[in-house]
Amino acid sequence: MYSLSALEDLLNQAFGKLRFDGQPKELYEPIEYTLGLGGKRIRPLLVLTGCDLFGGDPEKAIPVAIGMELFHNFTLLHDDIMDQAPLRRGKETVYKKWNTPSAILSGDTLFALAYESILRGGSPVYPDLLQLFTRTAREVCEGQQMDLNFERMQQIAIPDYLEMIRLKTAVLLACSLKAGALLAGAPSEEARKIYAAGENLGMAFQLQDDLLDTYGEEKKFGKEIGGDIISGKKTYLYLSAMLGSGEEDAAALTGYYRDAVTDPADKIRKVKEIFDRAGVKESTLNLISDYFNDALNLVRQTAVPEPGKMNLLELATRLIRRDV
């Protein structure tokens, strides 16, 4: 059984050895740049933690862990283009630093490299593993399309928004955790349970991201604060505010999200005032807590030794206990 810090050391060593210096260099330089930005590497760490949890060898799970991180970065390159985001992890996004066609093509290459990494090593469970990963990749794209659809819709039901973030974000965390469990030979019921835990954790994580976009600090968050408000992105905070506001505030909020931005700072300030009056921060924190506690309960129900559970519980707590 590894400690969480030992698993992180394994990952850091593995990523430190990665090189993307192929030709044409215009294709691989953006990939090298993206992975060089670091990030929390949550998904690969979940792979190793899931493997270790069920008594597997995390070192043998490293190619799959790397594959999950490469796939995640593929989604980020394309997501930044769709959101017109200027910053990622506190640095220029790839399409800003290079151009949109380069970001698209480098993202596509990351998708191919993800499959290549996952296939490396061989395992009796690879048919199940590839089926899980392929389904997850499709679901992530479905979630992204739902997110794009929502930009054109005036009214969005909260359950529909939650389904969108389940597909866009939560399923990849769940897939990473279950992939590690599969590599360790976990029984199907235990693998199902750990997938559900990862899904709940992913929901809590994305809702926390939504909250940080409005109430976080840019230096700690690594992204532009208020970006969702400026772009008119209808997150859970917006939907919750629409339900919890009177007619005057609801009409004002609709107008702020519909009209073109003339003064971004003023728009953020006024929208946050409405959010505050509607108690949005508190309601979002309550929902995050519900998903988080469901994830912890599922982890505790797994039939594995307590030290392994503690690793996953520690990682889950670290993901959610971010500054707001």
Side-chain angles (χ1 to χ4, degrees):
M1 190 71 68
Y2 284 68
S3 67
L4 195 57
S5 61
L7 293 176
E8 289 178 304
D9 287 343
L10 275 179
L11 273 181
N12 290 334
Q13 290 168 20
F15 278 99
K17 295 174 184 175
L18 286 181
R19 293 291 180 271
F20 297 96
D21 52 3
Q23 294 294 326
K25 65 182 179 63
E26 293 82 2
L27 178 66
Y28 289 98
E29 281 181 350
I31 293 174
E32 189 82 27
Y33 170 79
T34 297
L35 294 171
L37 295 179
K40 294 175 284 293
R41 292 177 180 158
I42 297 162
R43 292 141 194 92
L45 189 53
L46 283 170
V47 174
L48 299 194
T49 304
C51 183
D52 191 55
L53 182 66
F54 291 96
D57 183 353
E59 292 193 40
K60 293 181 179 178
I62 284 174
V64 174
I66 289 173
M68 295 298 175
E69 183 69 359
L70 296 179
F71 175 79
H72 173 57
N73 278 272
F74 143 71
T75 69
L76 297 184
L77 260 65
H78 287 193
D79 199 25
D80 287 340
I81 296 167
M82 288 181 254
D83 289 346
Q84 294 292 285
L87 295 177
R88 170 69 63 181
R89 296 165 184 159
K91 301 289 185 180
E92 267 190 309
T93 47
V94 167
Y95 86 95
K96 279 282 188 182
K97 188 173 177 63
W98 279 271
N99 52 64
T100 297
S102 290
I104 292 171
L105 195 54
S106 294
D108 291 343
T109 305
L110 275 167
F111 196 171
L113 290 168
Y115 264 103
E116 189 174 70
S117 186
I118 287 170
L119 285 167
R120 196 177 306 126
S123 167
V125 301
Y126 264 54
D128 290 340
L129 183 60
L130 285 174
Q131 184 178 42
L132 169 67
F133 177 67
T134 303
R135 187 193 76 210
T136 300
R138 172 177 53 80
E139 288 176 330
V140 169
C141 293
E142 289 170 356
Q144 182 64 54
Q145 183 61 58
M146 288 179 70
D147 196 18
L148 291 173
N149 292 348
F150 289 170
E151 291 179 8
R152 300 189 297 270
M153 296 166 60
Q154 288 304 311
Q155 293 188 334
I156 302 161
I158 285 179
D160 291 338
Y161 179 78
L162 294 176
E163 173 63 6
M164 183 274 288
I165 65 172
R166 184 188 74 83
L167 291 168
K168 187 177 174 182
T169 299
V171 295
L172 186 54
L173 271 70
C175 169
S176 299
L177 198 50
K178 185 176 180 179
L182 290 175
L183 289 167
S188 58
E189 177 57 23
E190 294 296 296
R192 183 203 63 78
K193 203 178 292 178
I194 211 66
Y195 181 91
E199 202 169 46
N200 278 282
L201 182 59
M203 295 295 290
F205 179 78
Q206 181 56 53
L207 287 164
Q208 182 85 339
D209 245 33
D210 288 355
L211 195 61
L212 287 169
D213 189 272
T214 297
Y215 289 100
E217 294 180 28
E218 190 165 309
K219 285 185 178 179
K220 293 182 180 180
F221 191 40
K223 299 182 197 174
E224 179 184 42
I225 294 301
D228 288 344
I229 294 173
I230 294 169
S231 64
K233 195 175 182 69
K234 302 176 187 75
T235 65
Y236 178 80
L237 280 73
Y238 169 86
L239 300 176
S240 181
M242 289 296 290
L243 283 178
S245 296
E247 288 186 14
E248 186 176 340
D249 273 351
L253 194 55
T254 300
Y256 292 139
Y257 272 65
R258 183 187 57 224
D259 299 338
V261 176
T262 53
D263 185 344
D266 186 56
K267 178 178 180 178
I268 292 169
R269 180 181 60 79
K270 288 177 178 176
V271 168
K272 282 182 72 173
E273 287 174 356
I274 296 174
F275 283 179
D276 290 343
R277 286 194 290 272
V280 161
K281 185 175 180 180
E282 292 75 16
S283 65
T284 307
L285 285 169
N286 287 337
L287 187 57
I288 290 169
S289 180
D290 288 343
Y291 279 118
F292 182 64
N293 288 331
D294 286 346
L296 297 191
N297 288 334
L298 283 160
V299 172
R300 292 186 182 110
Q301 291 169 24
T302 55
V304 294
E306 285 302 315
K309 291 181 186 179
M310 293 309 296
N311 273 348
L312 185 50
L313 293 174
E314 180 188 339
L315 175 57
T317 302
R318 186 193 301 176
L319 296 181
I320 300 304
R321 300 288 185 259
R322 294 179 285 165
D323 292 335
V324 178

